[in-house]
């Protein structure tokens, strides 16, 4: 009986860690990001935002719509990110014309996409 109790005591922390990891992998966290239009004289329309964990090549659609931002102005986007709450993400802002601007940062940041960064 003591052997079974010892084995259970050793396996319990491993089981708890496995459950915690799996819950974090599927968690959703609120995120907001402010995008500043770095064009000096051009209004842009953002139609999508995608994110990936820093270093990953797998992007998730996080926001879609049409948001117009005047030259030099900013707009705040609010959405849920999939997993990795509080971690660094690569944010890809996609304009209606298909050009993209990407930055690596955490939620809550203000990002300026300058005219030369849209590719």
């Amino acid at each position: 009986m003591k052997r079974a109790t010892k084995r259970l005591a050793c396996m319990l922390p491993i089981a708890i860690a496995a459950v915690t990891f799996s819950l974090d992998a599927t968690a959703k966290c609120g995120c907001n990001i402010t995008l500043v239009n770095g064009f000096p004289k051009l209004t842009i329309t953002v139609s999508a935002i995608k994110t990936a964990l820093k270093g990953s090549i797998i992007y998730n659609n996080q926001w879609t719509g049409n948001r117009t931002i005047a030259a030099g102005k900013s707009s705040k986007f609010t959405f849920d990110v999939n997993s990795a709450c509080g971690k660094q993400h690569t944010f890809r802002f996609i304009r209606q014309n298909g050009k993209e601007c990407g930055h690596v940062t955490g939620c809550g940041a203000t990002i300026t996409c300058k005219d030369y960064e849209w590719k």
Side-chain angles (χ1 to χ4, degrees), residues 43-60:
T43 296
I44 63 170
T45 300
V46 175
S47 60
I49 299 173
K50 294 182 178 187
T51 65
L53 284 176
K54 181 181 176 184
S56 175
I57 59 170
I58 300 170
Y59 282 84
N60 294 308

Side-chain angles (χ1 to χ4, degrees), residues 67-87:
R67 180 88 52 96
T68 301
I69 308 171
K73 300 297 181 185
S74 65
S75 186
K76 185 176 186 176
F77 296 86
T78 302
F79 49 87
D80 289 333
V81 290
N82 299 325
S83 74
C85 302
K87 303 270 192 225

Side-chain angles (χ1 to χ4, degrees), residues 7 10 17 32 40-41 45 48 53 55 74-75 81 91 108 110 117 119:
R7 183 176 287 164
C10 290
N32 64 65
K41 296 181 182 181
T45 300
L53 284 176
S74 65
S75 186
V81 290
F91 290 89
T110 297
E117 292 180 292
K119 298 177 175 139

Side-chain angles (χ1 to χ4, degrees), residues 16 20 25-26 28 30-31 35 40 42-43 57 62 74 78 85 108 110 115 117:
I16 291 171
T20 303
T26 59
K28 286 192 172 193
C31 181
L35 176 63
L42 180 68
T43 296
I57 59 170
Q62 301 297 358
S74 65
T78 302
C85 302
T110 297
D115 54 351
E117 292 180 292

